[in-house]
């Protein structure tokens, strides 16, 4: 069964054609261009998203030179828009997951925090989709429907009005244990009268698409992070992956139950496959490739390939909290901003670059510590994927500060491969979940080179600076 898997991400859309015996036989990538507004807004042009999906799909298919049996779609998770259900025409810009403008809507619901967080497993934060949907209704339009981008793209491809259960679990209006829309929460966000997409499993065939020629079934729909967790073969409780993309996203499989984190992580549906649901705990670093793009924009590096040579001499006395778009789990301070401390006349460009990489790794180490607290088990191994795993300096800093061995996934297409495996499960009911994923190849390993004391000392100092930074903002 050959699959066209499309990974519609924040900075681009990737499409791959995967054949079970020949592997990836066609690849195409089309960039998309988020616009960073001064007020914390981050928007995308929905038409650009759709065109990128169509262009990447067509290009991958023509590179592969063969037909496919199913089309799969991984999506950004929390990016939303308003659109006309009759025509599919967008009625707003897409409001991107990094957009902080719905923070006021969350603040208004402060007294309901416990109820919302307990029922959804999430944090009452503008990052998730329902506050953004409410923001669109209040500030942009009362017309049409408001949904996450997957529901709109799937409508464009198939004519169906659906979202998958993993995407719904990133909304703040899903009852996580029942996996149904929650009327009480919808009322709280003033979304009670909105038509909502039907929630489907990740391995459901939702319809057919003629967007790429002859009609092809569409099945295998999932949030991009969950797709990568699946591709990395994290099928057992306790197995974890971190994807280094626009942000970094650490997910740990928790098995058939969705335990609520007492420590600031969030809980989502990892997938529903073969009528079985798996859950995951997840923590986020909002800016990783975004931080590297910022380093490029301000002229500290000319391209991501400069990261390793420039940071070779280390950060010196410089400590960086790279909170360029706020701090996510476990702090949940969207208002935080980046700081550099310890900068002196002898500080070099390389010290600043190294401090940003260390700051990213420190945030991941904070997440690992919370995962260990929540699960009561030390993490044995962290599997990683995503473009920035090419930075050996960043991977080594992550191994050093997390004090965990790291294995780098051998393919640069983890997310698309995860969606493709779900697509195969959708059209081949005899295929098992384990056989659909196969064995993850490893292209690199990193062992911690720092001792535990050195890592703890660094993290204590880093944590103090982060804490002072947050106090000053209060
Ligand atoms: O577009 P990516 O790959 O950076 O991932 C987006 C995240 O899933 C947002 O939560």
């Amino acid at each position: 069964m050959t699959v066209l898997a499309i990974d519609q991400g924040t900075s681009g859309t990737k499409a791959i054609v995967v054949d079970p015996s020949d592997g990836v036989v066609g690849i195409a990538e089309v960039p998309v261009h988020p616009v960073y507004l001064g007020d914390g807004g981050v928007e995308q042009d929905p038409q650009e998203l759709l065109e990128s999906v169509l262009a990447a799909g067509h290009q991958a298919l023509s590179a592969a030179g063969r037909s496919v049996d199913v089309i799969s779609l991984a999506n950004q998770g929390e990016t939303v828009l308003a659109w006309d259900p009759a025509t599919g025409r967008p009625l707003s810009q897409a409001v991107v997951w990094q957009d902080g403008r719905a923070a006021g809507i969350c603040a208004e619901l402060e007294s309901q925090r416990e109820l919302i967080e307990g029922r959804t497993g999430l944090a009452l934060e503008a990052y998730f989709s329902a506050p953004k949907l409410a923001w669109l209704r209040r500030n942009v339009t009362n017309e049409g429907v408001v949904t996450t981008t997957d529901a709109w793209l799937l409508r464009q491809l198939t004519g169906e009005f659906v979202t998958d259960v993993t995407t719904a679990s990133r909304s703040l209006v899903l009852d996580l244990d029942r996996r149904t829309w929650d009327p009480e929460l919808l009322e709280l966000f003033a979304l009670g009268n909105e038509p909502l997409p039907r929630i489907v499993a990740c391995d459901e065939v939702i319809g057919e698409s003629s967007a790429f020629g002859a009609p092809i079934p569409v099945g295998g729909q999932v949030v991009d992070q969950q797709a990568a967790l699946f591709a990395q073969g994290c099928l057992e409780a306790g197995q974890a992956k971190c994807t280094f993309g626009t942000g970094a996203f650490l997910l740990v499989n928790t098995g058939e139950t969705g335990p609520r984190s007492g420590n600031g992580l969030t809980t989502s549906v990892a997938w529903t496959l073969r009528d079985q649901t798996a859950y995951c705990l997840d923590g986020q670093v909002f800016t990783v490739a975004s931080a590297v793009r910022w380093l490029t924009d301000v002229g500290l590096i000319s391209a991501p390939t400069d990261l390793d040579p420039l940071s070779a001499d280390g950060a010196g006395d410089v400590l960086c909290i790279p909170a360029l778009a706020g701090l996510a789990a476990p702090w949940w301070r969207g208002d935080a901003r980046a700081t550099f401390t310890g900068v002196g006349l002898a500080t070099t460009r390389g010290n600043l670059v190294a401090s940003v990489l260390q700051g990213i790794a420190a945030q991941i180490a904070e997440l690992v510590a919370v995962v260990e607290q929540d699960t009561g088990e030390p993490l044995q191994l962290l599997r990683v994927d995503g473009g920035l795993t090419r930075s050996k300096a960043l991977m080594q800093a992550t191994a050093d500060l997390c004090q965990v061995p790291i294995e780098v996934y051998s393919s640069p297409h983890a997310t698309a491969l995860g969606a493709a495996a779900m697509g195969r499960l959708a059209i081949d009911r005899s295929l098992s979940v384990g056989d659909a994923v196969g064995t993850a190849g490893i292209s690199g390993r990193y062992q911690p080179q720092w001792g535990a004391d050195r890592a703890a000392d660094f993290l204590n100092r880093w944590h103090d600076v982060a804490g002072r930074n947050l106090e000053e903002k209060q």
Side-chain angles (χ1 to χ4, degrees), residues 49 79 116 137 155 157 174 196 216 251 288 297 374 381 426 473:
L49 294 187
T79 299
I116 297 171
R137 280 302 184 223
R155 154 70 170 75
L157 292 178
L174 187 86
L196 298 172
I216 303 165
L251 271 65
V288 176
D297 288 352
D374 276 347
L381 175 73
K473 289 219 72 138

Side-chain angles (χ1 to χ4, degrees), residues 243-248 285-293 360 364 388 394:
T243 299
F244 290 76
T246 309
V285 177
F286 279 158
T287 41
V288 176
S290 292
V292 173
R293 182 196 59 80
I360 293 168
I364 294 165
L388 278 168
L394 178 57

Side-chain angles (χ1 to χ4, degrees), residues 37-378:
L37 307 169
D39 56 358
V42 185
E43 293 183 349
Q44 285 171 324
D45 174 0
Q47 211 54 44
E48 187 188 24
L49 294 187
L50 175 61
E51 280 161 21
S52 72
V53 165
L54 298 177
H58 277 295
Q59 287 168 27
L61 285 167
S62 75
R66 58 181 92 180
S67 60
V68 296
D69 303 297
V70 62
I71 300 169
S72 308
L73 179 70
N75 84 91
Q76 300 174 36
E78 307 86 9
T79 299
V80 305
L81 79 162
W83 51 281
D84 180 345
T87 62
R89 191 171 58 88
L91 298 170
S92 74
Q93 291 294 90
V95 178
V96 177
W97 56 274
Q98 283 174 319
D99 192 305
R101 289 175 294 177
I105 289 178
C106 295
E108 289 168 20
L109 291 171
E110 187 54 43
S111 62
Q112 306 292 333
R113 179 179 287 275
E114 214 172 304
L115 166 76
I116 297 171
E117 295 187 346
R119 201 165 296 169
T120 64
L122 302 180
L124 177 58
E125 292 293 330
Y127 167 46
F128 298 105
S129 54
K132 293 191 182 80
L133 298 176
W135 185 89
L136 273 178
R137 280 302 184 223
R138 207 181 277 188
N139 295 283
V140 181
T141 178
N142 278 320
E143 307 214 332
V145 293
V146 282
T147 69
T148 38
T149 49
D150 62 312
W152 179 64
L153 291 169
L154 291 170
R155 154 70 170 75
Q156 298 287 342
L157 292 178
T158 66
E160 299 294 323
F161 188 39
V162 296
T163 189
D164 79 277
V165 63
T166 66
T167 309
S169 79
R170 308 294 292 166
S171 66
L172 283 169
V173 285
L174 187 86
D175 180 320
L176 185 65
D177 302 314
R178 294 167 192 267
R179 301 178 301 283
T180 52
W181 298 123
D182 187 290
E184 191 180 358
L185 300 184
L186 285 161
E187 283 303 328
L188 288 177
F189 285 98
L191 298 170
N193 294 324
E194 298 291 342
L196 298 172
R198 180 171 71 85
I199 298 173
V200 298
C202 303
D203 60 353
E204 184 168 328
V205 173
I206 58 162
E208 282 190 335
S209 179
S210 303
F212 303 101
I216 303 165
V218 175
Q221 40 283 328
V222 61
V223 173
D224 50 12
Q225 302 309 326
Q226 277 80 333
L229 185 74
F230 192 59
Q232 292 247 31
C234 296
L235 304 183
E236 304 291 331
Q239 293 182 319
K241 71 90 201 183
C242 186
T243 299
F244 290 76
T246 309
F249 299 90
L250 177 78
L251 271 65
V252 52
N253 186 322
T254 62
E256 288 169 19
T257 56
R260 309 308 196 255
S261 165
N263 301 297
L265 295 182
T266 55
T267 311
S268 310
V269 174
W271 46 75
T272 297
L273 294 168
R274 301 293 184 253
D275 296 326
Q276 298 287 317
T277 296
Y279 291 86
C280 58
L281 272 175
D282 64 277
Q284 317 71 22
V285 177
F286 279 158
T287 41
V288 176
S290 292
V292 173
R293 182 196 59 80
W294 175 80
L295 286 172
T296 315
D297 288 352
V298 297
L300 281 170
I301 59 172
S302 54
T305 44
D306 288 347
L307 289 173
D308 285 9
L310 261 180
S311 60
D313 291 333
D317 293 331
V318 184
L319 275 181
C320 174
I321 315 297
L324 291 149
L327 286 171
W331 295 273
W332 294 113
R333 287 288 299 272
D335 61 332
R337 287 296 174 264
T339 52
F340 290 90
T341 57
V343 179
L345 287 172
T347 297
T348 63
R349 202 154 62 102
N351 295 145
L352 293 174
V353 171
S355 75
V356 171
L357 298 184
Q358 269 185 338
I360 293 168
Q363 290 176 80
I364 294 165
E366 291 280 327
L367 295 176
V368 166
V370 184
V371 163
E372 292 177 340
Q373 241 176 309
D374 276 347
T375 60
E377 302 281 343

